[in-house]
Amino acid sequence: MTIFGVRCEFSNELIMKDFLLKKFLILVSLFTMPVVSYAQRYEADYLIGNYIRAYRTDADGSKWRKLIPNGTVIQVDRRIVAADSTSAGRNILAEFTYEGETYLSEARWLRFSESNPQETVDIFAGDDFSPTDSFVRKRLAFTRMNPLSPLGRFMYGLSLPLSQLLLMVAALLMLLRCRKAGWSAMPFIIAVALQVYSALMLGNDALWWCVPEYQGLGGAIVGFIPLALYLGMELAYVILIRTFISAGAGSGFARGAARAALIVIGVFGLIATLSAAYFAGMLILAEVVLACPVLAFLIAGMAKNMRRLYWHNPDGSVSDIYGNRYNSEDEARDAWRNRNVTAQ
């Protein structure tokens, strides 16, 4: 009995040790649980709208989009670098769980939450989310910026494009009403300088207010209106000031300032504005075609008819859009028919 009694006491001691060990592990897990649950929390902070766009791809390849309101706190599970992105700032993605589903979103629109414990590490702290191209960032250090910084919020705000538009209006009005070419060049050059600065800092995002990806089709069409007005005033200013220079109007300072303005607009401003308008216009056109496929056939028919356009030259000959010259309209039409037969 004594032997059995000893064995019974030893068995109770093991049970007690096992109980104490489990209790210790439970206490440790309770103390460490807040650190795990609050680790790497981020807040949605989309500067161009009220929602960030998160995507989920199912096993069959279908893609679903979820709009998450700004200010929503999410816990990021891991950092992913996408290889198929053309922009360095966009290829860094955050994988997180939201409402029971796993989503991916651009990490540049996620702000490290202040609710994180002090020892929590920001997994995106070493990433460069500058919107501009890497070629520009490597050569111009001032173009490197965090979109969620005060500078980024200014660049993605309406103050900069509105300032450019108002300066261009002021330059055109000064030229038309005051006929002071030299003074009108000042707001003109400032507007172009701001335009170039915006393009350097934001790259393709410089037109964020009229890009369908950001604003939707309707918002992009409305946003394209001020861009078209800006381009029209820019062209009008160049034509008018070139006319004043040819007529010899103004003093030597005015003509010198006008020439300087033409150099600026010829090298930077006009090229940048035309390319920007073309870029935004093509994106909007693509969205329109996707929304209404019938328009694709209409646009294709218009493009085909555009190739048949021709005009009369002062010497009586006829030219088409390819630069070919013909003696008459009948000869131009015959050439067009022969070209179609040969193509078939």
Side-chain angles (χ1 to χ4, degrees):
M1 296 299 294
T2 303
I3 297 175
F4 287 105
V6 171
R7 288 180 179 177
C8 289
E9 292 176 1
F10 183 70
S11 176
N12 291 334
E13 183 180 355
L14 286 178
I15 293 173
M16 181 61 67
K17 288 183 178 180
D18 183 67
F19 172 78
L20 292 175
L21 179 61
K22 289 181 178 180
K23 187 174 182 180
F24 174 77
L25 293 176
I26 291 173
L27 289 175
V28 170
S29 63
L30 288 175
F31 279 108
T32 57
M33 189 177 297
V35 176
V36 174
S37 61
Y38 286 94
Q40 295 161 344
R41 303 186 90 189
Y42 294 83
E43 296 181 16
D45 195 1
Y46 190 48
L47 300 184
I48 309 176
N50 298 322
Y51 304 87
I52 65 169
R53 292 165 301 169
Y55 297 93
R56 177 172 62 88
T57 303
D58 290 341
D60 58 356
S62 58
K63 198 172 186 179
W64 300 84
R65 187 176 76 166
K66 182 75 173 181
L67 298 179
I68 301 177
N70 282 344
T72 303
V73 178
I74 59 176
Q75 180 176 331
V76 175
D77 299 324
R78 60 172 178 151
R79 170 184 175 275
I80 298 177
V81 179
D84 58 346
S85 179
T86 57
S87 175
R90 297 186 179 188
N91 65 353
I92 302 174
L93 307 177
E95 182 184 272
F96 58 92
T97 302
Y98 182 75
E99 296 181 349
E101 299 287 347
T102 300
Y103 294 96
L104 290 175
S105 182
E106 293 182 16
R108 60 177 178 157
W109 304 123
L110 297 178
R111 176 165 48 88
F112 193 64
S113 177
E114 296 179 355
S115 63
N116 285 299
Q118 187 175 2
E119 64 274 10
T120 306
V121 178
D122 183 0
I123 59 176
F124 304 111
D127 294 321
D128 184 6
F129 294 115
S130 301
T132 191
D133 187 78
S134 60
F135 177 84
V136 178
R137 291 199 308 270
K138 292 178 181 177
R139 287 156 179 81
L140 300 175
F142 70 88
T143 61
R144 300 190 188 100
M145 72 167 184
N146 182 358
L148 300 182
S149 65
L151 177 60
R153 295 180 186 278
F154 169 75
M155 298 301 300
Y156 279 99
L158 291 174
S159 301
L160 193 60
L162 285 178
S163 299
Q164 299 174 37
L165 185 61
L166 292 177
L167 285 168
M168 192 59 66
V169 171
L172 193 59
L173 289 178
M174 288 175 65
L175 186 63
L176 291 174
R177 297 183 65 86
C178 304
R179 300 297 179 92
K180 295 180 179 180
W183 294 111
S184 68
M186 293 183 180
F188 176 80
I189 292 176
I190 295 174
V192 173
L194 290 177
Q195 178 188 348
V196 174
Y197 175 71
S198 177
L200 289 175
M201 295 296 293
L202 298 181
N204 291 338
D205 281 357
L207 301 174
W208 58 266
W209 66 87
C210 60
V211 175
E213 180 185 358
Y214 294 150
Q215 306 298 335
L217 180 57
I221 294 175
V222 174
F224 190 80
I225 296 175
L227 177 62
L229 291 174
Y230 182 89
L231 176 60
M233 289 187 293
E234 207 170 21
L235 289 171
Y237 184 90
V238 173
I239 294 172
L240 288 173
I241 205 168
R242 182 70 181 87
T243 303
F244 290 162
I245 293 175
S246 301
S251 62
F253 169 75
R255 289 194 295 271
R259 289 191 178 93
L262 284 177
I263 291 174
V264 172
I265 189 63
V267 176
F268 297 108
L270 189 58
I271 296 175
T273 308
L274 285 173
S275 59
Y278 177 80
F279 173 76
M282 289 297 101
L283 291 178
I284 293 174
L285 181 61
E287 290 290 331
V288 170
V289 170
L290 289 175
C292 184
V294 176
L295 289 177
F297 296 98
L298 297 177
I299 294 172
M302 292 173 59
K304 183 178 180 180
N305 292 329
M306 283 288 292
R307 295 169 58 190
R308 300 180 57 183
L309 292 177
Y310 55 87
W311 57 90
H312 295 271
N313 299 313
D315 60 357
S317 62
V318 176
S319 298
D320 59 14
I321 62 173
Y322 300 103
N324 302 318
R325 299 174 70 94
Y326 306 97
N327 295 323
S328 64
E329 294 182 9
D330 293 336
E331 184 178 346
R333 294 192 186 95
D334 291 340
W336 171 255
R337 297 190 188 96
N338 293 334
R339 188 182 296 112
N340 286 339
V341 172
T342 303
Q344 294 175 357

